[in-house]
Amino acid sequence: MDLYVLTIPTYVQMLKGLSAQLTKAEAHAAEHGGDLISARLAPDMFPLSTQVRFVCTQASELLRYLTGADAFAPAEDAADFTGLRAQLADALARIESVKPNAFDGAASRAIAMTLPNGMVFDLTGEQFVRDWALPQVYFHLMAAYAILRSQGVPLGKPDWVAHMFAYIRPGTMTGG
C-alpha cells in the first residue's frame, strides 16, 4: 500500500473542499445571519470551529506519525471564517509540501498513538492510515458539512466531491 498516494491527494482535495464550503457558509451567514462558527449538531458535539480545527489536527497527526514532521495543528478554535480558512490553508500548505519519499517505510513503522485521555493504541503505519487517520479526518469533515447543512447553508454533493469534476468525460455532464 502506497500511503502517500492514499493520503496526500485525499487530504489535499478534502481540505480544499472544506475551505470552499466555508466560503459558501460565510456568504450564507452574511445574507441570513446566524452564528455558524459555534453551531453544532447536538449539544454534546463540538461546534463547527472545533470540527475544522480537528480536521487540521488530523492532517498534522498524519504527517507527525508517518514522516516525523513537527506537529502544526492549531491550538485553539478560530473565531471567524477568515480564521477557519487560514487554519485549513496552513494545513493544506504543509500537506502539499510533503514529498512521496517522506513516507518510505511508513507502512510498517510501529506507531504508539496516544489520545489526550491517555489511551494508547499500538499500530503499524498502514493500520494507522486505514483504521484511524482516514476515518477520523472524514468524520470531522462530515461533521462540519452536516453542521453547515443543518444551518441552511446551500451545500450539496457537488460541494462534497467537487474534486470529481476533473474526471468528467466530456459531453456527459447532465443538468444545468
Side-chain angles (χ1 to χ4, degrees):
M1 179 182 298
D2 185 335
L3 298 184
Y4 176 90
V5 170
L6 182 62
T7 58
I8 297 302
T10 300
Y11 278 63
V12 166
Q13 66 197 21
M14 298 314 288
L15 290 167
K16 286 180 178 179
L18 180 54
S19 185
Q21 292 165 31
L22 292 173
T23 297
K24 277 186 144 179
E26 183 174 30
H28 179 81
E31 184 177 338
H32 300 283
D35 178 12
L36 298 178
I37 303 297
S38 62
R40 49 183 87 221
L41 289 174
D44 65 342
M45 288 185 74
F46 290 111
L48 176 65
S49 57
T50 306
Q51 299 298 341
V52 172
R53 180 169 55 88
F54 285 170
V55 166
C56 298
T57 298
Q58 295 309 313
S60 177
E61 285 188 354
L62 177 79
L63 298 185
R64 184 167 63 90
Y65 284 121
L66 297 181
T67 72
D70 291 334
F72 61 83
E76 52 190 55
D77 293 353
D80 57 26
F81 285 104
T82 300
L84 294 175
R85 284 192 305 273
Q87 288 178 343
L88 289 170
D90 179 57
L92 180 62
R94 291 171 188 265
I95 288 287
E96 287 181 317
S97 72
V98 175
K99 304 291 184 231
N101 66 350
F103 281 70
D104 287 353
S108 60
R109 182 171 299 129
I111 293 172
M113 184 181 72
T114 304
L115 298 184
N117 66 6
M119 196 178 330
V120 179
F121 293 90
D122 293 313
L123 309 154
T124 65
E126 182 178 321
Q127 292 165 331
F128 169 74
V129 167
R130 183 191 65 221
D131 300 334
W132 182 263
L134 289 173
Q136 284 295 312
V137 77
Y138 276 115
F139 175 86
H140 294 293
L141 287 160
M142 191 63 224
Y145 176 90
I147 289 168
L148 295 174
R149 285 289 294 131
S150 75
Q151 298 299 307
V153 178
L155 298 173
K157 184 67 75 88
D159 298 294
W160 180 254
V161 291
H163 57 276
M164 289 301 297
F165 290 105
Y167 306 115
I168 291 177
R169 183 178 294 168
T172 64
M173 180 91 166
T174 59

